[in-house]
Amino acid sequence: MCGIVGYIGNKNSVPILIDGLKRLEYRGYDSAGVGILSNESAEVYKKEGKVSDLESHISEFKLNSKVGIGHTRWATHGIPNEVNAHPHFNPEKTLLVIHNGIIENYTVLKKNLRDEGYEFISDTDTEVLVNLIDFYLKKELNLCNAVRFALSKVEGTYGIAAIYKNEPDKIVVARKGSPLVIGVGEEENLIASDVNALIAHTKRVVYLEDNEVAEIYKDRFIVKTLNDEKLQKHIEEIEGSIEEITKGGFPHFMLKEIMEQPESIKNSLRGRVILKDGLAKLGGLIGYEDRIAGSKRIIICACGTSWHAGLVAEYMIEQYADIPVEVEYASEFRYRNPILSKDDTVIFISQSGETADTLAALKEAKRKGALCVGVVNVVGSTIARESHTGVYIHAGPEIGVASTKAFTSQLIVLSLITLLIARKKNLSVVEGREIAQAILELPEKVQEILNQNELVEKVAEKFVDAHNFLYLGRGYQFPVALEGALKLKEISYIHAEGYPAAEMKHGPIALIDENMPVVFIAPTDSVYEKVVSNIEEVKARGGRIIAVANNDNGKIDDLVENTIKVPSTIPMLMPVLTVIPLQLLAYHIAVKKGLNVDQPRNLAKSVTVE
Ligand code: AGP
């Protein structure tokens, strides 16, 4: 998704903008640009490709300006090229605008503006917005009012920033559906799509809500509604450090985040497990525990990896908390007519807290009276703020597009929610203690698996040239099979599918030959023998097998070509362990293919558009 940064203060804005854009690269993009105001004019510099290409391009101009905006573009309308890159500008090049989102009625607006004599040089919806603002500037409105009037005509989503040569003392920003945060400094203020671009300058932030517009000066900011009503906004203190969002000596953010999972899991469960009583303590749910435990039904809505975590939670909650669970793709849920009532609890899982489909599903569930619970990583994100209640997973900033530590932290929080509900229902203190103890032991067990990184790398070496993969698992390991397949396909571009192992005979087994590597997630659980039968079926057809199995399983090494061993734990927590080798396998295959592991092609870290 696009990245937005802005600066106004006493320093040269240009290096600040470039650094901010670099901290937003993980969001995914294909071009970048900056816009600044100088005494004579408004200047725009943009390049297709990486922020570093833009940085090289502008280095020759020795730019120096106290106010500027920057943008990384993830193309929605118009191919990735210099003309379509942001900032976009009005005919006189006195007004510069950057935009994250989609203007759905841009064709109608473009026609109306053409009728007013405007011409367009790009294929973007954003250029329509610039000229619409310009149309109101020419009616003697000031920048803020021109932006308000223009946005009142817009249908769709936006996070925008605008600077105007005739009003060089401010940046005007507005949001609807795409995140925008104000960074409050000393004699300087910043704006960004997310806090990762602000944290090097300030930890004091103000989150804009939908339909809010703000004038950002170097020493103050004024927030209003689109209807020009002034608002009092709370300045919040953000968590995290600059160290947490840099690579810390690792070659890629993804490897750093895989390797820090013992720590991130500790952070997710810190202060939340009461071992002696076999209980979970989740401050965010206080006041809602009985309503959640009394739900007639729990629905889980999410996308991608978060949806896989929801599938694991379905098994957890139905096994221990005695409540029926349905897991929904948020993108489907939001456009169906889901039958909901106040007796339903809907859990929204989202690392970024900004996924458009998940946010829309949340608003739909709220409209229908269900209790909405957010399980989110980014503090202060929109889904976290829109939910009635919720639990932060505290995995820390996840920069790599492929979600790893957030997934295991989601599972930790979902297991704690399961424990909390179950202990209000039929789970005994003895059973509760067993689950609590098993959760507390996870960080050490994850570290034990990570210590096999080199073994997994050797296995990966054998499969770099594969063109297809199958991932198979049963029960709790079926969602892990889906997650392992997603990890591989999204960073190595190898086609991979996850299936319930039993489904093989219903079609997929036709794919098996010596060119089809098959990953079996095969812990020694209640269905292990059935998985072994599936392994035999694949072997008999020449399939090459990688098996993830328990440390104490000595037999499987004679059965399959490659085994990766993991410690044992209770079945509901095994996904936290069995997913680790699959994260490493995908990572090493992608690295050996020389691919951009942290910013895979076509992908974004946070999908804030439909
Ligand atoms: C997973 O590796 C991907 N990055 C993607 O599937 C992601 O999980 C999905 O877009 C949901 O994002 P969210 O958790 O921020 O809502």
Side-chain angles (χ1 to χ4, degrees):
M1 292 305 98
C2 304
I4 285 182
V5 293
Y7 174 86
I8 186 163
N10 299 321
K11 297 171 189 154
N12 180 3
S13 64
V14 176
I16 294 170
L17 297 176
I18 293 295
D19 178 64
L21 291 180
K22 285 180 176 176
R23 297 198 187 286
L24 296 180
E25 285 189 294
Y26 72 92
R27 297 169 64 87
Y29 71 104
D30 42 55
S31 55
V34 294
I36 56 174
L37 294 183
S38 61
N39 299 332
E40 299 68 43
S41 66
E43 299 170 29
V44 172
Y45 300 85
K46 40 192 190 178
K47 284 292 275 185
E48 186 184 347
K50 294 301 179 190
V51 175
S52 52
D53 301 324
L54 173 67
E55 187 175 21
S56 310
H57 170 58
I58 63 176
S59 59
E60 58 191 275
F61 300 105
K62 304 282 182 272
L63 303 178
N64 192 329
S65 167
K66 302 287 188 280
V67 55
I69 53 179
H71 187 267
T72 47
R73 179 174 182 252
W74 188 81
T76 54
H77 296 73
I79 60 170
N81 64 16
E82 205 159 300
V83 170
N84 290 332
H86 300 207
H88 286 280
F89 43 85
N90 63 340
E92 297 78 13
K93 209 169 180 181
T94 55
L95 168 70
L96 309 182
V97 175
I98 54 179
H99 166 228
N100 177 17
I102 292 180
I103 295 176
E104 294 178 352
N105 62 333
Y106 84 100
T107 44
V108 170
L109 295 173
K110 193 167 188 172
K111 181 187 174 308
N112 296 343
L113 286 163
R114 279 203 168 107
D115 293 348
E116 296 286 341
Y118 282 92
E119 294 178 1
F120 294 85
I121 58 174
S122 81
D123 306 322
T124 67
D125 53 342
T126 307
E127 192 183 8
V128 171
L129 179 59
V130 182
N131 286 329
L132 189 56
I133 296 169
D134 181 72
F135 174 77
Y136 287 106
L137 284 172
K138 287 186 167 66
K139 292 187 177 303
E140 305 306 315
L141 271 63
N142 66 28
L143 179 59
C144 188
N145 289 335
V147 167
R148 287 192 309 105
F149 274 62
L151 293 178
S152 66
K153 305 291 185 205
V154 160
E155 293 165 18
T157 60
Y158 53 79
I160 67 163
I163 53 179
Y164 182 38
K165 177 177 171 305
N166 300 357
E167 297 178 42
D169 62 341
K170 68 177 74 72
I171 301 173
V172 172
V173 298
R175 81 151 277 176
K176 182 184 174 193
S178 294
L180 259 185
V181 191
I182 302 170
V184 183
E186 299 298 325
E187 282 298 298
E188 63 181 21
N189 286 316
L190 301 93
I191 54 115
S193 305
D194 70 46
V195 295
N196 287 323
L198 301 174
I199 202 164
H201 305 278
T202 178
K203 289 194 168 188
R204 301 172 69 230
V205 296
V206 172
Y207 295 99
L208 277 192
E209 306 282 352
D210 282 355
N211 301 313
E212 290 182 355
V213 61
E215 293 173 287
I216 316 285
Y217 299 83
K218 73 174 185 179
D219 55 2
R220 69 191 188 286
F221 58 89
I222 303 163
V223 181
K224 305 176 182 175
T225 65
L226 276 185
N227 302 325
D228 208 23
E229 295 141 15
K230 274 196 179 177
L231 298 169
Q232 284 307 314
K233 298 290 279 184
H234 172 58
I235 297 179
E236 303 185 36
E237 193 82 17
I238 47 177
E239 302 174 356
S241 65
I242 193 72
E243 293 69 36
E244 286 182 318
I245 59 173
T246 54
K247 287 182 195 168
F250 286 93
H252 301 100
F253 282 112
M254 184 177 176
L255 185 59
K256 171 176 178 280
E257 288 149 11
I258 290 172
M259 290 300 176
E260 66 188 10
Q261 288 180 102
E263 194 54 35
S264 54
I265 289 171
K266 282 179 191 163
N267 292 336
S268 303
L269 55 81
R270 183 167 289 117
R272 294 172 161 176
V273 179
I274 306 171
L275 183 56
K276 68 179 177 53
D277 300 324
L279 294 174
K281 191 175 98 192
L282 296 168
L285 299 185
I286 289 174
Y288 291 92
E289 295 143 324
D290 293 335
R291 183 170 169 189
I292 297 169
S295 306
K296 283 216 174 62
R297 184 178 51 156
I298 290 179
I299 294 162
I300 300 175
C301 256
C303 303
T305 285
S306 298
W307 184 78
H308 297 153
L311 284 178
V312 176
E314 177 179 26
Y315 287 85
M316 290 178 175
I317 295 169
E318 292 195 344
Q319 178 178 2
Y320 289 103
D322 195 30
I323 299 175
V325 178
E326 295 165 26
V327 183
E328 299 269 3
Y329 280 117
S331 55
E332 289 299 308
F333 183 86
R334 66 180 289 192
Y335 286 116
R336 268 197 5 239
N337 180 20
I339 311 299
L340 293 173
S341 79
K342 61 178 176 43
D343 298 327
D344 294 323
T345 292
V346 189
I347 299 175
F348 297 90
I349 307 173
S350 177
Q351 187 287 129
S352 63
E354 300 297 347
T355 299
D357 285 324
T358 309
L359 178 58
L362 166 55
K363 291 177 176 176
E364 188 63 13
K366 268 176 105 171
R367 226 171 271 126
K368 297 200 170 188
L371 173 66
C372 299
V373 179
V375 174
V376 175
N377 191 32
V378 177
V379 175
S381 56
T382 307
I383 290 171
R385 287 182 286 115
E386 288 281 338
S387 299
H388 293 116
T389 180
V391 185
Y392 283 120
I393 67 170
H394 294 316
E398 185 176 70
I399 308 300
V401 164
S403 188
T404 51
K405 66 173 182 174
F407 178 69
T408 47
S409 285
Q410 286 166 348
L411 296 183
I412 294 297
V413 165
L414 291 163
S415 66
L416 292 171
I417 291 174
T418 302
L419 180 58
L420 184 148
I421 301 171
R423 289 282 286 120
K424 283 187 168 297
K425 303 187 80 165
N426 310 322
L427 198 72
S428 72
V429 61
V430 172
E431 291 166 311
R433 278 189 197 133
E434 182 196 348
I435 292 173
Q437 181 60 41
I439 290 172
L440 293 170
E441 292 171 356
L442 286 174
E444 194 177 321
K445 292 183 174 180
V446 168
Q447 187 57 60
E448 190 181 322
I449 303 165
L450 293 172
N451 295 342
Q452 297 182 78
N453 181 36
E454 285 178 20
L455 179 149
V456 180
E457 185 178 0
K458 286 190 175 58
V459 172
E461 187 68 54
K462 302 179 190 176
F463 296 97
V464 174
D465 299 327
H467 296 289
N468 297 284
F469 259 83
L470 271 182
Y471 286 72
L472 303 175
R474 285 176 181 254
Y476 279 107
Q477 304 308 324
F478 161 47
V480 179
L482 296 175
E483 175 59 13
L486 176 60
K487 287 288 89 60
L488 184 72
K489 73 181 89 169
E490 68 176 325
I491 63 173
S492 73
Y493 315 151
I494 294 172
H495 173 244
E497 284 187 80
Y499 270 102
E503 271 299 296
M504 285 296 289
K505 291 187 283 297
H506 303 284
I509 201 164
L511 294 170
I512 301 301
D513 61 21
E514 65 284 355
N515 301 316
M516 174 65 82
V518 182
V519 178
F520 278 95
I521 304 112
T524 315
D525 55 19
S526 59
V527 289
Y528 174 71
E529 290 311 325
K530 301 201 185 302
V531 174
V532 170
S533 304
N534 297 137
I535 289 174
E536 298 284 9
E537 289 155 8
V538 167
K539 269 189 78 175
R541 291 158 179 82
R544 301 175 59 199
I545 297 171
I546 301 168
V548 177
N550 287 125
N551 290 340
D552 57 3
N553 182 343
K555 291 181 188 162
I556 200 158
D557 301 275
D558 302 329
L559 195 57
V560 304
E561 177 190 348
N562 308 282
T563 56
I564 303 166
K565 297 292 180 66
V566 298
S568 300
T569 184
I570 60 176
M572 81 177 259
L573 298 177
M574 271 312 295
V576 176
L577 303 181
T578 54
V579 76
I580 306 293
L582 309 186
Q583 296 171 344
L584 289 170
L585 181 69
Y587 171 77
H588 287 302
I589 290 175
V591 168
K592 291 175 189 305
K593 291 188 69 174
L595 298 171
N596 187 336
V597 171
D598 285 332
Q599 299 161 33
R601 68 185 180 192
N602 309 336
L603 289 179
K605 182 60 183 173
S606 176
V607 183
T608 56
V609 295
E610 284 197 45

